[in-house]
Amino acid sequence: MSFSYPWLWLLCPVALWLVLRRREGQGGVRVASLSQWDSLSKGKARYLWVLKLLSAIFVTALIAAMARPQMGSSQSVDEAEGIAIELLVDVSSSMDRTVALPDGEKQTRLEVAKEMLERFILGDEGELTGRPDDLIGLITFARYADTRSPLTFGHNALVQIVRNLQIQDRPNEDGTAYGDALTLACARLKGLEELRSARSSRKLAEIESRIVVLLTDGENNSGKHLPLESAGLAKKWGIRVYCITLGDPEDFYGEDRA
């Protein structure tokens, strides 16, 4: 505790001396001697010292108030602005191809994508240290785009969905339609305002940035929307798009440029 005017405490001894020095009954009747009343009970007069005590307490409290005591406090506020993220994952048959990892092991492209997504959501420690303030959704696509998880803060449940992703095994639904998937993701992110109006949440209200992370291993060959058309929607609505390729270079540029 500190005081704005600590020098006022110098007045305290003087004020207390004046209070204690003051005599009660200065306006009373003078008598020659009090010896004849020594044997009598003092009655209420024996409590006169309480008045002096109360006066001393009052003076001390008055000086303390005039000195303006102040109590300092420290408070730390941790503010973090979250991001709304849509994850797009290719589950077409080509994602079942194996790739060689730097450590020599081999995994399918989908397994690599799932590990990347899990680390992206949970962080390297795997304990929700990655993106606790981010709103994340999941969309998979082959010939058609499907919403696997709406935008959510429930990242543990989202990771379980990611771990259970499988290759699309229906021949009539195979293909790569990331143009449709990107269009769907942009529509979900554009509807963030409606989600805010339906749910009252501080974390949700703080989200401003919106991004799409696309993981695929091939070119768009299906769907109703071309990638450039979908990218135009993203630009119009202020959504950033990040693409990650899981394919071999010749899948995109041909063997002459591999």
Side-chain angles (χ1 to χ4, degrees):
M1 179 182 292
S2 60
F3 295 89
S4 297
Y5 308 107
W7 54 268
L8 287 174
W9 284 106
L10 298 176
L11 300 177
C12 193
V14 178
L16 292 177
W17 179 77
L18 291 174
V19 170
L20 298 177
R21 181 175 176 272
R22 184 171 61 88
R23 297 180 179 178
E24 288 79 5
Q26 290 182 349
V29 179
R30 293 186 178 184
V31 295
S33 175
L34 296 176
S35 58
Q36 57 182 328
W37 287 296
D38 287 343
S39 60
L40 299 178
S41 174
K42 293 183 179 181
K44 296 181 179 179
R46 59 184 174 182
Y47 298 110
L48 291 177
W49 66 270
V50 177
L51 296 177
K52 286 189 176 183
L53 176 61
L54 294 176
S55 299
I57 294 175
F58 170 77
V59 170
T60 303
L62 180 62
I63 293 176
M66 294 173 60
R68 294 185 61 183
Q70 297 178 347
M71 178 68 73
S73 62
S74 60
Q75 182 179 6
S76 60
V77 179
D78 187 12
E79 295 184 358
E81 179 182 335
I83 304 174
I85 306 171
E86 280 287 359
L87 303 176
L88 309 186
V89 185
D90 190 346
V91 292
S92 61
S93 60
S94 59
M95 290 288 287
D96 201 28
R97 298 178 185 175
T98 58
V99 293
L101 302 179
D103 58 3
E105 295 185 1
K106 291 186 177 182
Q107 286 184 318
T108 65
R109 295 173 179 177
L110 182 60
E111 291 299 323
V112 173
K114 289 160 66 173
E115 289 185 6
M116 292 173 58
L117 290 176
E118 183 172 345
R119 292 178 60 184
F120 179 81
I121 297 170
L122 297 182
D124 292 334
E125 302 297 329
E127 297 178 354
L128 288 177
T129 58
R131 303 183 172 275
D133 299 304
D134 293 344
L135 193 65
I136 306 178
L138 177 64
I139 295 174
T140 60
F141 63 90
R143 180 176 293 274
Y144 307 105
D146 299 308
T147 299
R148 295 300 184 95
S149 172
L151 292 167
T152 179
F153 290 113
H155 296 170
N156 279 326
L158 181 60
V159 168
Q160 292 300 321
I161 296 175
V162 170
R163 291 172 180 172
N164 293 328
L165 291 181
Q166 296 181 352
I167 297 294
Q168 173 57 253
D169 56 359
R170 297 178 181 177
N172 61 330
E173 295 187 9
D174 196 18
T176 304
Y178 59 75
D180 286 0
L182 181 55
T183 300
L184 178 59
C186 290
R188 298 289 189 213
L189 292 173
K190 185 177 183 297
L192 185 60
E193 294 299 329
E194 298 179 2
L195 187 61
R196 284 179 181 152
S197 61
R199 294 171 52 188
S200 177
S201 170
R202 181 187 62 82
K203 293 174 65 176
L204 191 59
E206 292 175 351
I207 292 178
E208 296 294 339
S209 301
R210 297 171 292 177
I211 70 172
V212 173
V213 179
L214 170 63
L215 291 89
T216 185
D217 69 338
E219 296 182 355
N220 187 82
N221 56 23
S222 303
K224 299 179 180 180
H225 301 277
L226 296 175
L228 287 178
E229 178 186 353
S230 304
L233 289 177
K235 182 178 180 180
K236 178 181 178 181
W237 294 335
I239 301 171
R240 295 183 179 183
V241 181
Y242 299 90
C243 299
I244 301 174
T245 174
L246 299 173
D248 297 323
E250 57 268 21
D251 293 340
F252 297 91
Y253 306 114
E255 294 184 0
D256 294 339
R257 297 183 60 182

